[in-house]
Amino acid sequence: MTDIQQTVYVVEDDEAVRDSLELLLKSDGKPVKTYENATGFLKDYSEKMAGCIVLDIRMPGMDGMELQKKLNEKHSILPIIFVTGHGDVPMAVDAMKEGAVDFIQKPYREEALLEKIEAALEQDLEQRKTLDEKQEIIRRVKSLTPREHEIMDRMIAGQANKVIAIELEISQRTVEIHRSRVMHKMGTHSLAHLVRMVLSVKDLIDAR
C-alpha cells in the first residue's frame, strides 16, 4: 500500500468551535481541513480523501445526518465521528446505525476527542489496506481469459479435472494446463487460498 496522507476533516458551523478544533488538531500534528457547512464538504468530497470526518450533527441547511447519508450513497469509507450537543443522543444512535464510528457530546475533553480521532484514522488505514488487497484480487481475476475464468469457477465449485473435462468437452490435459495458468495468474498454489480470495471480492464483482 502506498503512503497515504490522512487529513482530519472538520465540518462545524460554529466558527469558534471550528477554529478551536483546527488549533487542537494542528498542535497535535495532524493535517486538518475545516468546513463551515456540509454542502461545502460535499462539493470537495472525493473517494481519494483519506483520514476521518469530525462532523457536527446540528447545522443549518444540510445537517450532519443528511451529509452522512449522501456519503453512504457515494460508498465513502471515511470514518465519521459525530459531535453532538445534549439531547441529541437518539440522533447519534441513529448515526451509529448508519455507520458512524463514534460520537462525542459537547462539551468534550480534548484528550477524549483526540483518542477517538486516532482510532478513526487507524480504522481508515485498515479499511484502505483491505480495499487495496481486494482491488488487486479483482485485477488478477480480470487478467484471466474467458476459458480460464470458466475453469476457475468450476475449481471453486469443487469439480475435479475429469468432471470439468467431460462437461466442457475438452481433454483432461487441457484442463490441467488452464488450471495451472489460473493458479499462476491468481498468485497462489493453494485451492483453498484461491477460494478465499475470490469469495472475498464476490460482492464487488457481482455489483459491477
Side-chain angles (χ1 to χ4, degrees):
M1 185 171 59
T2 56
D3 289 340
I4 293 176
Q5 178 63 56
Q6 291 181 300
T7 298
V8 180
Y9 301 97
V10 175
V11 186
E12 166 68 66
D13 65 302
D14 187 312
E15 184 177 3
V17 174
R18 194 169 63 244
D19 290 346
S20 173
L21 280 172
E22 182 174 20
L23 184 62
L24 172 67
L25 290 163
K26 284 184 175 177
S27 67
D28 198 53
K30 292 180 173 57
V32 56
K33 189 167 184 179
T34 63
Y35 296 86
E36 63 182 26
N37 56 57
T39 303
F41 176 80
L42 202 56
K43 285 181 180 176
D44 259 10
Y45 173 75
S46 158
E47 63 180 15
K48 294 180 180 179
M49 285 180 167
C52 70
I53 308 172
V54 178
L55 178 58
D56 191 12
I57 282 188
R58 291 191 181 277
M59 292 184 289
M62 183 187 299
D63 64 20
M65 296 286 287
E66 289 179 81
L67 176 58
Q68 181 187 34
K69 289 178 181 175
K70 295 284 186 185
L71 292 173
N72 284 344
E73 291 171 4
K74 294 176 180 292
H75 306 292
S76 168
I77 62 172
L78 277 173
I80 297 176
I81 299 171
F82 272 105
V83 179
T84 175
H86 292 294
D88 290 335
V89 173
M91 292 179 66
V93 172
D94 288 341
M96 297 287 283
K97 289 179 179 176
E98 290 290 328
V101 297
D102 217 329
F103 73 92
I104 187 165
Q105 283 192 327
K106 299 175 182 175
Y108 47 77
R109 289 189 306 108
E110 293 181 344
E111 294 80 5
L113 178 60
L114 289 174
E115 287 175 5
K116 292 179 184 298
I117 288 174
E118 284 288 354
L121 293 175
E122 185 62 31
Q123 178 177 320
D124 179 63
L125 277 181
E126 289 298 319
Q127 288 178 159
R128 290 178 193 283
K129 180 182 177 184
T130 300
L131 188 61
D132 282 351
E133 291 171 350
K134 288 186 176 182
Q135 293 296 341
E136 173 59 20
I137 293 171
I138 290 173
R139 186 194 65 75
R140 293 178 188 180
V141 170
K142 286 183 175 178
S143 74
L144 301 177
T145 65
R147 177 62 91 184
E148 288 165 353
H149 204 299
E150 189 174 22
I151 297 288
M152 184 181 74
D153 287 344
R154 291 169 183 272
M155 290 165 59
I156 292 173
Q159 289 188 346
N161 289 353
K162 184 177 181 180
V163 174
I164 297 173
I166 292 172
E167 292 190 356
L168 296 182
E169 298 180 342
I170 57 179
S171 72
Q172 192 166 328
R173 177 57 184 156
T174 300
V175 173
E176 291 170 354
I177 292 172
H178 283 306
R179 187 182 183 111
S180 175
R181 288 174 179 165
V182 167
M183 299 298 273
H184 175 72
K185 288 184 177 181
M186 293 301 294
T188 182
H189 299 289
S190 162
L191 178 58
H193 185 212
L194 176 69
V195 172
R196 287 198 299 274
M197 282 196 295
V198 174
L199 290 182
S200 72
V201 298
K202 186 175 184 304
D203 290 345
L204 293 175
I205 293 175
D206 291 345
R208 296 183 175 187

